[in-house]
Amino acid sequence: MDQDSKNIAILNWVLTIFFGFIPGLVLYLVKTDDAYIKGHAIEALNWSITAIIGYAIATVLTIIVIGAFLFPVIGICHLIFCIMGALAASKGDDFKVPFAIRLIK
């Protein structure tokens, strides 16, 4: 992999912090020729979908107050895992988010 692939993978993780699943989905659909970028895009997309599911569950659980405590936990996990993904991409390594549901392979 070249430096351009690393930079795009880093950008994917950084943009995932702010825009959720959209950067991963765009790169997954557009960059089909680069396996490194596609791998990071799939992982970011899987994590984003997992976070969305977590936010939906937390929204339902706000009825019994527990959900209000889950929102910051999910947000902090999202930030940490995206930073870890960006750091792994900068080193040229693959990264798997520990708690992500693998819906896209």
Side-chain angles (χ1 to χ4, degrees):
M1 100 218 51
D2 57 348
Q3 189 61 39
D4 288 340
S5 296
K6 288 181 186 179
N7 289 341
I8 292 172
I10 293 167
L11 189 62
N12 173 42
W13 283 106
V14 172
L15 290 176
T16 299
I17 294 171
F18 302 106
F19 299 110
F21 69 93
I22 295 170
L25 181 62
V26 169
L27 286 176
Y28 176 71
L29 295 174
V30 172
K31 287 297 212 176
T32 56
D33 58 334
D34 192 336
Y36 182 73
I37 294 173
K38 190 171 181 179
H40 277 278
I42 288 172
E43 194 59 27
L45 192 54
N46 281 331
W47 168 246
S48 296
I49 293 169
T50 303
I52 289 169
I53 292 169
Y55 281 124
I57 292 170
T59 301
V60 171
L61 289 177
T62 55
I63 296 170
I64 55 174
V65 183
I66 295 171
F69 297 108
L70 290 178
F71 282 111
V73 171
I74 296 168
I76 290 169
C77 286
H78 181 68
L79 181 65
I80 289 171
F81 289 145
C82 287
I83 290 171
M84 288 172 63
L87 289 174
S90 71
K91 295 177 191 173
D93 298 335
D94 289 328
F95 177 67
K96 298 287 183 203
V97 177
F99 303 112
I101 301 169
R102 310 269 182 251
L103 297 173
I104 300 168
K105 299 192 189 249

XYZ file of all heavy atoms in Angstrom:
810
model
N 0.842 -1.178 0.000
C 0.000 0.000 0.000
C 0.883 1.236 0.000
O 1.967 1.235 0.551
C -0.943 -0.049 1.188
C -0.504 0.781 2.353
S -0.780 0.111 3.965
C -0.112 -1.492 3.890
N 0.393 2.270 -0.623
C 1.161 3.499 -0.715
C 0.637 4.538 0.285
O -0.330 4.292 0.998
C 1.142 4.047 -2.140
C -0.270 4.292 -2.645
O -1.226 3.846 -2.005
O -0.405 4.947 -3.695
N 1.287 5.671 0.310
C 0.928 6.711 1.274
C -0.463 7.270 1.010
O -1.175 7.633 1.948
C 1.982 7.841 1.239
C 1.815 8.852 2.341
C 1.952 8.249 3.736
O 2.791 7.388 3.967
N 1.115 8.689 4.656
N -0.876 7.313 -0.244
C -2.228 7.801 -0.558
C -3.297 6.913 0.066
O -4.302 7.409 0.586
C -2.441 7.882 -2.068
C -1.678 9.026 -2.710
O -1.308 9.972 -1.985
O -1.455 8.964 -3.935
N -3.088 5.606 0.016
C -4.048 4.681 0.625
C -4.121 4.891 2.134
O -5.209 4.881 2.713
C -3.655 3.236 0.327
O -3.731 2.971 -1.051
N -2.971 5.080 2.756
C -2.947 5.337 4.198
C -3.690 6.624 4.537
O -4.462 6.675 5.487
C -1.507 5.430 4.709
C -0.764 4.125 4.769
C 0.629 4.377 5.315
C 1.488 3.161 5.266
N 2.845 3.417 5.768
N -3.429 7.670 3.749
C -4.062 8.965 4.014
C -5.581 8.886 3.860
O -6.319 9.478 4.658
C -3.499 10.040 3.081
C -2.077 10.410 3.418
O -1.599 10.151 4.526
N -1.380 11.002 2.463
N -6.057 8.176 2.850
C -7.501 8.037 2.654
C -8.114 7.230 3.792
O -9.204 7.555 4.283
C -7.800 7.411 1.287
C -7.416 8.387 0.176
C -9.274 7.032 1.165
C -7.494 7.818 -1.218
N -7.419 6.181 4.251
C -7.922 5.383 5.371
C -7.971 6.216 6.655
O -8.930 6.114 7.432
C -7.057 4.142 5.560
N -6.962 7.048 6.878
C -6.960 7.939 8.054
C -8.131 8.912 7.958
O -8.871 9.116 8.928
C -5.629 8.709 8.161
C -4.476 7.769 8.471
C -5.712 9.797 9.228
C -3.097 8.392 8.291
N -8.298 9.510 6.797
C -9.391 10.455 6.583
C -10.748 9.793 6.796
O -11.669 10.399 7.355
C -9.291 11.049 5.177
C -10.207 12.208 4.856
C -9.889 13.390 5.779
C -10.061 12.610 3.405
N -10.854 8.542 6.390
C -12.090 7.787 6.601
C -12.442 7.721 8.088
O -13.570 8.007 8.477
C -11.925 6.376 6.013
C -13.085 5.474 6.330
O -14.237 5.878 6.265
N -12.783 4.242 6.681
N -11.469 7.371 8.918
C -11.732 7.253 10.357
C -12.011 8.604 11.000
O -12.894 8.723 11.845
C -10.559 6.576 11.062
C -10.547 5.098 10.857
C -9.709 4.389 10.056
C -11.438 4.139 11.438
N -10.026 3.052 10.111
C -11.072 2.875 10.962
C -12.497 4.229 12.332
C -11.729 1.714 11.339
C -13.152 3.081 12.706
C -12.770 1.834 12.212
N -11.288 9.641 10.585
C -11.507 10.973 11.156
C -12.897 11.486 10.772
O -13.620 12.029 11.613
C -10.392 11.947 10.704
C -10.718 13.364 11.114
C -9.048 11.523 11.292
N -13.278 11.312 9.529
C -14.604 11.764 9.098
C -15.725 10.933 9.729
O -16.830 11.440 9.907
C -14.705 11.734 7.571
C -13.876 12.776 6.833
C -13.978 12.582 5.330
C -14.284 14.180 7.230
N -15.433 9.688 10.075
C -16.431 8.848 10.744
C -16.789 9.422 12.109
O -17.930 9.273 12.561
C -15.903 7.398 10.876
O -15.678 6.877 9.560
C -16.893 6.506 11.583
N -15.862 10.091 12.763
C -16.148 10.725 14.050
C -17.292 11.727 13.892
O -18.198 11.791 14.719
C -14.899 11.431 14.614
C -13.811 10.419 14.956
C -15.251 12.263 15.848
C -12.472 11.039 15.304
N -17.254 12.489 12.815
C -18.209 13.580 12.634
C -19.440 13.219 11.803
O -20.521 13.751 12.040
C -17.508 14.779 11.982
C -16.348 15.278 12.782
C -15.048 15.029 12.375
C -16.547 15.961 13.973
C -13.979 15.472 13.121
C -15.480 16.408 14.727
C -14.190 16.164 14.297
N -19.275 12.330 10.818
C -20.362 12.048 9.878
C -20.908 10.626 9.953
O -21.699 10.230 9.091
C -19.909 12.355 8.445
C -19.524 13.784 8.241
C -18.200 14.134 8.031
C -20.470 14.785 8.283
C -17.830 15.452 7.847
C -20.122 16.119 8.105
C -18.794 16.446 7.882
N -20.487 9.847 10.939
C -21.044 8.514 11.139
C -20.711 7.546 10.012
O -19.561 7.395 9.626
N -21.731 6.904 9.470
C -21.519 5.834 8.501
C -21.244 6.340 7.085
O -20.820 5.567 6.218
C -22.734 4.893 8.476
C -23.959 5.518 7.891
C -24.248 5.376 6.550
C -24.833 6.252 8.679
C -25.383 5.954 6.011
C -25.963 6.825 8.154
C -26.238 6.683 6.802
N -21.448 7.608 6.806
C -21.376 8.121 5.435
C -19.975 7.973 4.812
O -19.866 7.470 3.684
C -21.886 9.574 5.375
C -23.377 9.596 5.728
C -21.652 10.184 3.998
C -23.968 10.958 5.932
N -18.871 8.368 5.480
C -17.553 8.202 4.834
C -17.211 6.744 4.533
O -16.686 6.429 3.465
C -16.570 8.778 5.849
C -17.377 9.600 6.767
C -18.755 9.039 6.762
N -17.532 5.848 5.465
C -17.265 4.432 5.239
C -18.073 3.881 4.080
O -17.560 3.108 3.263
N -19.323 4.287 3.981
C -20.181 3.823 2.890
C -19.691 4.342 1.550
O -19.618 3.585 0.572
C -21.623 4.251 3.142
C -22.646 3.823 2.091
C -22.729 2.313 2.018
C -24.005 4.426 2.415
N -19.332 5.611 1.488
C -18.843 6.191 0.232
C -17.573 5.488 -0.225
O -17.440 5.091 -1.393
C -18.621 7.714 0.382
C -17.879 8.278 -0.805
C -19.949 8.424 0.562
N -16.610 5.309 0.683
C -15.362 4.641 0.303
C -15.591 3.172 -0.042
O -14.931 2.638 -0.933
C -14.327 4.770 1.416
C -13.694 6.143 1.549
C -12.757 6.180 2.749
C -12.954 6.525 0.289
N -16.497 2.521 0.646
C -16.807 1.118 0.346
C -17.352 0.981 -1.072
O -17.028 0.028 -1.780
C -17.818 0.586 1.370
C -18.285 -0.813 1.100
C -17.430 -1.901 1.279
C -19.581 -1.075 0.665
C -17.852 -3.192 1.043
C -20.014 -2.355 0.423
C -19.153 -3.414 0.606
O -19.572 -4.688 0.362
N -18.164 1.927 -1.497
C -18.762 1.860 -2.825
C -17.847 2.385 -3.925
O -17.912 1.923 -5.065
C -20.077 2.650 -2.837
C -21.189 2.102 -1.943
C -22.372 3.053 -1.940
C -21.605 0.712 -2.377
N -16.961 3.343 -3.586
C -16.140 3.985 -4.616
C -14.773 3.317 -4.775
O -14.305 3.099 -5.893
C -15.970 5.491 -4.284
C -14.973 6.153 -5.215
C -17.314 6.186 -4.361
N -14.115 3.003 -3.687
C -12.742 2.484 -3.736
C -12.712 0.957 -3.719
O -12.152 0.331 -2.816
C -11.937 3.027 -2.560
C -11.563 4.473 -2.687
C -10.667 4.635 -3.874
C -9.682 5.743 -3.681
N -8.752 5.835 -4.785
N -13.281 0.342 -4.722
C -13.320 -1.121 -4.769
C -11.995 -1.720 -5.247
O -11.767 -2.914 -5.072
C -14.453 -1.590 -5.696
O -14.266 -1.002 -6.996
C -15.807 -1.184 -5.150
N -11.123 -0.915 -5.831
C -9.866 -1.429 -6.366
C -8.748 -1.507 -5.332
O -7.770 -2.209 -5.543
C -9.415 -0.566 -7.545
C -9.245 0.893 -7.163
O -9.910 1.332 -6.199
O -8.452 1.588 -7.828
N -8.878 -0.829 -4.202
C -7.835 -0.806 -3.177
C -8.307 -1.590 -1.951
O -9.194 -1.147 -1.218
C -7.524 0.645 -2.799
C -6.259 0.778 -1.963
O -5.870 -0.204 -1.300
O -5.656 1.863 -1.987
N -7.707 -2.749 -1.722
C -8.143 -3.638 -0.633
C -7.900 -3.015 0.739
O -8.684 -3.237 1.668
C -7.420 -4.975 -0.733
N -6.830 -2.238 0.881
C -6.518 -1.626 2.176
C -7.583 -0.600 2.562
O -8.103 -0.616 3.672
C -5.130 -0.980 2.122
C -4.700 -0.363 3.425
C -4.327 -1.174 4.495
C -4.684 1.009 3.606
C -3.943 -0.624 5.695
C -4.292 1.567 4.796
C -3.925 0.746 5.843
O -3.552 1.288 7.039
N -7.913 0.276 1.628
C -8.939 1.281 1.894
C -10.287 0.617 2.115
O -11.031 0.988 3.031
C -9.019 2.299 0.735
C -7.732 3.102 0.650
C -10.216 3.226 0.906
C -7.645 4.006 -0.562
N -10.596 -0.372 1.311
C -11.881 -1.058 1.442
C -11.990 -1.760 2.801
O -13.048 -1.747 3.425
C -12.076 -2.060 0.305
C -13.459 -2.628 0.247
C -13.682 -3.436 -1.006
C -15.096 -3.957 -1.015
N -15.388 -4.721 -2.218
N -10.899 -2.349 3.287
C -10.914 -2.990 4.600
C -11.203 -2.013 5.722
O -12.007 -2.291 6.613
N -10.558 -0.856 5.677
C -10.815 0.160 6.697
C -12.222 0.742 6.556
O -12.870 1.049 7.556
C -9.764 1.267 6.635
C -8.508 0.918 7.367
N -8.372 1.055 8.732
C -7.328 0.405 6.940
C -7.174 0.669 9.106
N -6.515 0.260 8.023
N -12.684 0.898 5.327
C -14.037 1.422 5.104
C -15.086 0.450 5.646
O -16.060 0.869 6.286
C -14.271 1.668 3.621
N -14.884 -0.841 5.435
C -15.816 -1.850 5.955
C -15.834 -1.817 7.472
O -16.900 -1.867 8.099
C -15.450 -3.253 5.421
C -15.796 -3.356 3.939
C -16.140 -4.348 6.220
C -15.290 -4.624 3.279
N -14.667 -1.717 8.069
C -14.601 -1.706 9.542
C -15.247 -0.453 10.112
O -15.975 -0.513 11.107
C -13.151 -1.832 10.009
C -13.017 -2.149 11.461
C -13.686 -3.454 11.877
O -13.820 -4.371 11.052
O -14.091 -3.549 13.058
N -14.996 0.703 9.491
C -15.620 1.941 9.953
C -17.136 1.883 9.766
O -17.897 2.354 10.615
C -15.039 3.139 9.202
N -17.570 1.293 8.669
C -19.005 1.154 8.410
C -19.657 0.219 9.420
O -20.722 0.525 9.969
C -19.206 0.646 6.983
C -20.592 0.684 6.391
C -21.193 2.067 6.472
C -20.538 0.220 4.938
N -19.018 -0.906 9.704
C -19.550 -1.830 10.711
C -19.626 -1.163 12.083
O -20.607 -1.324 12.809
C -18.694 -3.094 10.795
C -18.984 -4.070 9.691
O -20.087 -4.133 9.166
N -17.982 -4.842 9.311
N -18.589 -0.409 12.452
C -18.614 0.255 13.746
C -19.707 1.318 13.796
O -20.401 1.453 14.793
C -17.259 0.860 14.100
C -17.393 1.771 15.269
C -17.215 3.105 15.279
C -17.820 1.416 16.592
N -17.489 3.608 16.536
C -17.863 2.583 17.355
C -18.166 0.215 17.196
C -18.226 2.598 18.699
C -18.535 0.224 18.534
C -18.566 1.397 19.273
N -19.858 2.067 12.725
C -20.887 3.119 12.703
C -22.283 2.537 12.839
O -23.127 3.086 13.555
C -20.789 3.920 11.410
O -19.571 4.588 11.345
N -22.527 1.433 12.168
C -23.830 0.770 12.280
C -24.046 0.261 13.701
O -25.135 0.393 14.264
C -23.953 -0.368 11.245
C -23.988 0.222 9.826
C -25.192 -1.213 11.503
C -23.841 -0.816 8.730
N -22.999 -0.289 14.306
C -23.091 -0.748 15.694
C -23.402 0.414 16.634
O -24.232 0.288 17.538
C -21.780 -1.435 16.109
O -21.510 -2.516 15.216
C -21.857 -1.964 17.529
N -22.744 1.552 16.417
C -22.995 2.730 17.258
C -24.429 3.230 17.078
O -25.079 3.616 18.059
C -21.994 3.832 16.929
N -24.931 3.220 15.857
C -26.315 3.646 15.607
C -27.295 2.737 16.335
O -28.269 3.205 16.941
C -26.606 3.687 14.090
C -25.858 4.848 13.445
C -28.105 3.813 13.822
C -25.863 4.834 11.929
N -27.037 1.437 16.289
C -27.887 0.485 17.019
C -27.809 0.773 18.521
O -28.820 0.746 19.227
C -27.481 -0.968 16.691
C -27.821 -1.295 15.232
C -28.161 -1.955 17.631
C -27.236 -2.607 14.737
N -26.600 1.054 19.017
C -26.432 1.384 20.431
C -27.191 2.644 20.822
O -27.845 2.685 21.869
N -27.141 3.656 19.975
C -27.889 4.893 20.252
C -29.398 4.636 20.231
O -30.141 5.216 21.035
C -27.535 5.983 19.249
C -26.230 6.684 19.540
C -25.225 6.736 18.589
C -26.004 7.295 20.766
C -24.023 7.386 18.848
C -24.812 7.947 21.038
C -23.829 7.988 20.072
O -22.645 8.625 20.343
N -29.856 3.779 19.320
C -31.292 3.465 19.263
C -31.738 2.743 20.536
O -32.796 3.054 21.106
C -31.596 2.608 18.034
N -30.927 1.798 21.003
C -31.249 1.086 22.242
C -31.220 2.047 23.431
O -32.092 1.998 24.305
C -30.277 -0.100 22.448
C -30.542 -1.164 21.383
C -30.402 -0.680 23.842
C -29.497 -2.263 21.328
N -30.235 2.945 23.460
C -30.153 3.922 24.542
C -31.358 4.851 24.529
O -31.866 5.235 25.594
C -28.865 4.733 24.425
N -31.834 5.200 23.337
C -33.020 6.052 23.240
C -34.233 5.367 23.851
O -35.001 5.986 24.598
C -33.299 6.404 21.761
O -32.152 7.079 21.237
C -34.513 7.296 21.635
N -34.404 4.078 23.558
C -35.522 3.331 24.130
C -35.363 3.214 25.648
O -36.340 3.339 26.394
C -35.632 1.935 23.473
C -36.641 1.069 24.190
C -35.987 2.072 22.001
N -34.129 3.018 26.099
C -33.887 2.832 27.530
C -33.948 4.127 28.334
O -33.870 4.087 29.566
C -32.540 2.146 27.759
C -32.478 0.671 27.356
C -31.072 0.128 27.567
C -33.486 -0.151 28.139
N -34.095 5.261 27.679
C -34.257 6.504 28.441
C -35.568 6.507 29.215
O -35.716 7.283 30.164
C -34.199 7.746 27.534
O -35.161 7.614 26.497
C -32.823 7.958 26.983
N -36.473 5.634 28.834
C -37.736 5.500 29.578
C -37.451 5.107 31.024
O -38.118 5.577 31.944
C -38.663 4.466 28.897
C -39.054 4.966 27.505
C -39.893 4.183 29.736
C -39.762 3.926 26.667
N -36.452 4.251 31.213
C -36.110 3.832 32.579
C -34.787 4.459 33.042
O -34.086 3.894 33.872
C -36.073 2.297 32.704
C -35.123 1.674 31.688
C -37.452 1.718 32.579
C -34.939 0.179 31.861
N -34.413 5.575 32.469
C -33.294 6.434 32.864
C -31.915 5.863 32.514
O -30.968 6.621 32.355
C -33.357 6.807 34.370
C -32.255 7.759 34.770
C -34.707 7.388 34.719
N -31.792 4.572 32.343
C -30.477 3.977 32.060
C -29.915 4.501 30.742
O -28.716 4.715 30.614
C -30.583 2.439 32.031
C -30.952 1.911 33.408
C -29.296 1.803 31.548
C -31.280 0.449 33.439
N -30.783 4.727 29.776
C -30.341 5.200 28.473
C -29.613 6.524 28.518
O -28.700 6.775 27.725
N -29.984 7.375 29.450
C -29.326 8.678 29.571
C -27.845 8.512 29.914
O -27.015 9.341 29.532
C -30.026 9.517 30.628
N -27.512 7.455 30.627
C -26.113 7.193 30.970
C -25.365 6.496 29.838
O -24.146 6.521 29.804
C -26.027 6.352 32.249
C -26.596 7.050 33.445
C -27.795 6.638 33.996
C -25.944 8.138 34.002
C -28.337 7.284 35.101
C -26.465 8.790 35.104
C -27.670 8.374 35.648
N -26.104 5.855 28.937
C -25.461 5.140 27.835
C -24.996 6.072 26.717
O -24.033 5.764 26.023
C -26.405 4.088 27.257
C -26.699 2.887 28.146
C -27.690 1.956 27.474
C -25.421 2.143 28.472
N -25.677 7.194 26.522
C -25.296 8.117 25.448
C -23.843 8.567 25.535
O -23.102 8.474 24.549
C -26.237 9.326 25.403
C -27.555 9.032 24.766
C -28.713 9.007 25.523
C -27.650 8.776 23.406
C -29.935 8.738 24.939
C -28.863 8.509 22.813
C -30.010 8.487 23.581
N -23.375 9.061 26.689
C -21.956 9.461 26.746
C -21.000 8.284 26.614
O -19.911 8.432 26.042
C -21.811 10.141 28.102
C -23.071 9.950 28.837
C -24.093 9.426 27.899
N -21.385 7.118 27.095
C -20.517 5.940 26.990
C -20.331 5.560 25.523
O -19.207 5.305 25.067
C -21.098 4.754 27.803
C -20.337 3.475 27.524
C -21.094 5.073 29.289
N -21.420 5.538 24.781
C -21.338 5.207 23.355
C -20.529 6.276 22.618
O -19.701 5.955 21.760
C -22.744 5.061 22.745
C -23.475 3.891 23.390
C -22.663 4.864 21.233
C -24.957 3.832 23.076
N -20.743 7.549 22.955
C -19.997 8.629 22.316
C -18.505 8.546 22.571
O -17.694 8.745 21.659
N -18.126 8.241 23.796
C -16.704 8.106 24.126
C -16.099 6.896 23.418
O -14.981 6.977 22.892
C -16.514 8.032 25.658
C -16.832 9.388 26.278
C -15.098 7.590 26.019
C -16.940 9.368 27.788
N -16.820 5.780 23.390
C -16.343 4.595 22.658
C -16.164 4.912 21.180
O -15.184 4.495 20.557
C -17.306 3.426 22.823
S -17.251 2.659 24.443
N -17.114 5.648 20.610
C -17.033 6.021 19.199
C -15.772 6.840 18.931
O -15.020 6.553 17.993
C -18.292 6.805 18.797
C -18.328 7.206 17.369
N -18.458 6.300 16.343
C -18.240 8.425 16.786
C -18.456 6.943 15.192
N -18.321 8.238 15.442
N -15.523 7.810 19.771
C -14.341 8.649 19.612
C -13.056 7.837 19.753
O -12.141 7.941 18.920
C -14.369 9.780 20.640
C -13.199 10.754 20.592
C -13.201 11.528 19.287
C -13.265 11.695 21.783
N -12.982 7.002 20.774
C -11.768 6.213 21.026
C -11.507 5.231 19.892
O -10.378 5.112 19.403
C -11.875 5.489 22.386
C -11.769 6.504 23.520
C -10.792 4.413 22.517
C -12.075 5.939 24.885
N -12.540 4.509 19.444
C -12.331 3.514 18.385
C -11.975 4.164 17.057
O -11.189 3.610 16.287
C -13.554 2.610 18.239
C -13.736 1.662 19.391
C -14.999 1.315 19.822
C -12.653 1.108 20.049
C -15.183 0.452 20.881
C -12.813 0.245 21.113
C -14.088 -0.092 21.534
N -12.531 5.341 16.782
C -12.170 6.042 15.543
C -10.726 6.529 15.593
O -10.005 6.453 14.593
C -13.135 7.186 15.278
S -14.767 6.645 14.745
N -10.287 7.003 16.751
C -8.891 7.424 16.895
C -7.963 6.221 16.772
O -6.921 6.287 16.105
C -8.686 8.166 18.225
C -9.387 9.519 18.181
C -7.194 8.341 18.532
C -9.431 10.240 19.503
N -8.339 5.103 17.380
C -7.521 3.888 17.264
C -7.442 3.419 15.809
O -6.387 2.974 15.350
C -8.096 2.784 18.154
C -7.896 3.016 19.628
S -8.767 1.826 20.684
C -7.980 0.304 20.244
N -8.554 3.522 15.082
C -8.560 3.148 13.666
C -7.670 4.061 12.847
O -6.928 3.601 11.962
N -7.708 5.366 13.131
C -6.859 6.313 12.406
C -5.378 6.056 12.696
O -4.537 6.134 11.794
C -7.240 7.740 12.778
N -5.059 5.748 13.939
C -3.658 5.455 14.284
C -3.174 4.180 13.602
O -2.047 4.117 13.107
C -3.495 5.342 15.796
C -3.613 6.646 16.585
C -3.580 6.370 18.085
C -2.516 7.604 16.181
N -4.020 3.154 13.568
C -3.650 1.911 12.890
C -3.475 2.161 11.396
O -2.554 1.629 10.770
C -4.710 0.837 13.135
N -4.354 2.970 10.807
C -4.241 3.279 9.380
C -2.965 4.054 9.082
O -2.341 3.851 8.043
C -5.468 4.069 8.921
N -2.557 4.935 9.991
C -1.336 5.714 9.763
C -0.092 4.837 9.799
O 0.909 5.144 9.158
C -1.217 6.836 10.780
O -0.917 6.326 12.064
N -0.172 3.731 10.549
C 0.956 2.796 10.615
C 0.924 1.775 9.478
O 1.877 1.021 9.299
C 0.934 2.040 11.946
C 1.163 2.908 13.153
C 1.051 2.068 14.409
C 1.014 2.935 15.645
N 0.734 2.150 16.856
N -0.201 1.708 8.779
C -0.329 0.722 7.710
C -0.874 -0.606 8.191
O -0.785 -1.603 7.472
N -1.429 -0.638 9.394
C -1.964 -1.869 9.959
C -3.462 -1.975 9.701
O -4.148 -0.984 9.477
C -1.740 -1.906 11.480
C -0.267 -1.899 11.849
O 0.559 -2.323 11.013
O 0.055 -1.469 12.973
N -3.959 -3.203 9.773
C -5.403 -3.412 9.755
C -5.926 -3.202 11.166
O -5.202 -3.376 12.143
C -5.746 -4.829 9.280
C -5.459 -5.007 7.801
O -5.599 -4.026 7.052
O -5.090 -6.120 7.403
N -7.211 -2.856 11.282
C -7.789 -2.594 12.597
C -9.184 -3.198 12.665
O -9.976 -3.043 11.739
C -7.869 -1.085 12.852
C -8.513 -0.727 14.162
C -7.899 -1.032 15.363
C -9.743 -0.099 14.199
C -8.479 -0.707 16.568
C -10.342 0.236 15.393
C -9.709 -0.069 16.590
N -9.452 -3.897 13.730
C -10.780 -4.460 13.986
C -11.301 -3.879 15.292
O -10.667 -4.005 16.332
C -10.714 -5.992 14.110
C -10.233 -6.692 12.859
C -11.277 -6.659 11.795
C -10.814 -7.421 10.574
N -11.494 -6.994 9.381
N -12.457 -3.229 15.233
C -13.071 -2.671 16.436
C -13.573 -3.847 17.271
O -14.296 -4.705 16.768
C -14.237 -1.725 16.077
C -14.911 -1.213 17.322
C -13.714 -0.566 15.238
N -13.208 -3.903 18.557
C -13.549 -5.066 19.375
C -15.048 -5.353 19.512
O -15.442 -6.499 19.548
C -12.948 -4.734 20.741
C -11.983 -3.649 20.514
C -12.382 -2.936 19.280
N -15.881 -4.319 19.592
C -17.297 -4.538 19.875
C -18.199 -4.378 18.669
O -19.419 -4.346 18.819
C -17.761 -3.575 20.978
C -16.969 -3.700 22.239
C -16.137 -2.678 22.650
C -17.027 -4.856 22.998
C -15.388 -2.791 23.813
C -16.277 -4.987 24.152
C -15.461 -3.952 24.567
N -17.638 -4.254 17.482
C -18.452 -4.006 16.286
C -19.175 -5.269 15.846
O -18.621 -6.367 15.886
C -17.595 -3.473 15.162
N -20.396 -5.081 15.425
C -21.167 -6.175 14.832
C -20.745 -6.254 13.366
O -20.805 -5.267 12.643
C -22.679 -5.904 14.951
C -23.077 -5.755 16.409
C -23.469 -7.009 14.275
C -24.489 -5.225 16.606
N -20.312 -7.414 12.915
C -19.801 -7.583 11.557
C -20.956 -7.872 10.589
O -21.203 -9.008 10.233
C -18.794 -8.701 11.486
C -17.708 -8.615 12.534
C -16.507 -7.845 12.035
N -15.482 -7.827 13.067
C -15.169 -6.753 13.742
N -15.764 -5.630 13.516
N -14.244 -6.784 14.681
N -21.642 -6.833 10.169
C -22.742 -6.981 9.219
C -22.243 -7.002 7.786
O -22.833 -7.667 6.926
C -23.748 -5.855 9.405
C -24.441 -5.810 10.763
C -25.293 -4.552 10.886
C -25.292 -7.036 10.959
N -21.176 -6.285 7.496
C -20.610 -6.208 6.155
C -19.258 -6.915 6.185
O -18.434 -6.649 7.043
C -20.446 -4.739 5.719
C -21.809 -4.067 5.736
C -19.806 -4.661 4.346
C -21.736 -2.579 5.607
N -19.059 -7.799 5.230
C -17.806 -8.563 5.217
C -17.023 -8.303 3.964
O -17.413 -7.908 2.977
C -18.119 -10.042 5.357
C -18.818 -10.295 6.673
C -18.886 -11.762 6.978
C -19.763 -11.942 8.153
N -19.477 -12.303 9.313
